Amino acid sequence: MKLTLRVWRQKDAATPGAMATYEVDGISADMSFLEMLDTLNEELALAGEEPVAFDHDCREGICGACSLVINGDAHGPERTTTCQLHMRSFSDGDTIDIEPWRASAFPVIKDLVVDRSSFDRIIQAGGYISAPTGTAPDAHATPVPKPDADFAFEHAECIGCGACVAACPNGSAMLFTSAKVNHLNVLPQGAPERETRVLDMVARMDEEGFGGCTLAGECATACPKGIPLPSIAAMNKEWLRAARKVRR
Ligand code: FES
């Protein structure tokens, strides 16, 4: 497969970026998208040029590090992570545009790498429980109804990649924050911080400069883990309940 790549190149956060065009040849349909970029970088290194910086870690769809806007879509044309996208989704002769996540709360560090530490600070604001750890408790020591366990697992699947923010026309982080709030708030282990968690995480989200939600739904469409749009409604319900209960 021979491809034309139009890649966002940006030296650092203070320097304006621009698209640069590269040709790559000999790309197998079985390569992952990141392996295709590895091929490009090997060629750039051999030519004495600076390789393209991009984020990756597990390359198994579990860490959330990979983060590319491909032909205008967060993670590209398939509903998966960039590392799990394969070149069989493209055709010989295609031109592919590759850009970083675009959101003011995710400033570009270099080329295709953005700073997602704003997500870490939202987690720090309340994405934890204070239940003591120690040896594993007996099974069923803390009964959790099956629907609650399923709800928690569904939301705990969020890998924090940021595709929801990149896809949203408002740059909103409501889907990410709701996944983190909901998976703890529904469980008995998360009950002691149930109110402060949602109030603090939403406040932190706003302070980080993420936009508001207008229910465009692009976030849930782009999410590689299928976090559903009603997750946002569930978080809003939690927030209203907490705001009535906790006077600040
Ligand atoms: S590199 Fe870990 S999810 Fe893609």
Side-chain angles (χ1 to χ4, degrees):
M1 217 188 280
K2 187 173 180 182
L3 302 166
T4 301
L5 306 178
R6 293 177 4 106
V7 184
W8 184 259
R9 303 300 312 257
Q10 186 169 344
K11 187 165 172 275
D12 52 44
T15 310
M19 299 297 267
T21 303
Y22 304 100
E23 306 284 338
V24 283
D25 203 352
I27 300 299
S28 160
D30 295 328
M31 280 182 175
S32 73
F33 199 85
L34 298 188
E35 286 168 338
M36 183 276 293
L37 284 180
D38 291 339
T39 304
L40 168 67
N41 276 347
E42 282 169 16
E43 289 174 9
L44 289 175
L46 286 172
E49 292 181 45
E50 177 104 8
V52 177
F54 61 92
D55 255 337
H56 60 99
D57 190 0
C58 71
R59 297 199 177 203
E60 293 181 346
I62 53 177
C63 74
C66 56
S67 50
L68 301 177
V69 174
I70 301 164
N71 287 342
D73 291 323
H75 289 310
E78 311 288 338
R79 190 173 184 178
T80 186
T81 54
T82 300
C83 62
Q84 294 300 296
L85 176 67
H86 286 80
M87 296 313 294
R88 65 182 76 98
S89 297
F90 300 90
S91 304
D92 185 38
D94 274 359
T95 296
I96 306 175
D97 287 350
I98 309 169
E99 300 170 80
W101 283 172
R102 300 288 191 191
S104 57
F106 289 162
V108 172
I109 296 172
K110 182 179 170 71
D111 294 338
L112 303 171
V113 179
V114 299
D115 179 358
R116 283 174 282 181
S117 57
S118 48
F119 269 14
D120 297 335
R121 291 186 288 274
I122 293 173
I123 295 287
Q124 284 169 358
Y128 54 82
I129 61 168
S130 60
T133 54
T135 54
D138 287 341
H140 306 309
T142 307
V144 178
K146 181 73 165 64
D148 290 353
D150 289 346
F151 182 86
F153 272 122
E154 182 180 28
H155 290 88
E157 281 193 55
C158 170
I159 55 175
C161 63
C164 49
V165 176
C168 176
N170 308 324
S172 172
M174 288 285 274
L175 195 71
F176 164 79
T177 308
S178 66
K180 301 302 176 190
V181 165
N182 291 336
H183 94 264
L184 294 176
N185 270 26
V186 74
L187 295 173
Q189 292 88 341
E193 296 85 21
R194 182 174 173 183
E195 289 81 23
T196 53
R197 174 178 300 113
V198 65
L199 295 174
D200 291 345
M201 290 179 81
V202 169
R204 188 73 233 180
M205 178 186 77
D206 290 340
E207 283 165 32
E208 293 292 343
F210 291 102
C213 175
T214 51
L215 284 181
E218 297 292 330
C219 53
T221 303
C223 176
K225 297 300 171 184
I227 305 298
L229 194 59
S231 177
I232 293 174
M235 180 177 74
N236 287 341
K237 203 171 151 190
E238 281 294 303
W239 190 93
L240 281 170
R241 177 188 170 280
R244 278 200 299 263
K245 201 168 171 188
V246 179
R247 298 245 173 256
R248 289 185 160 171

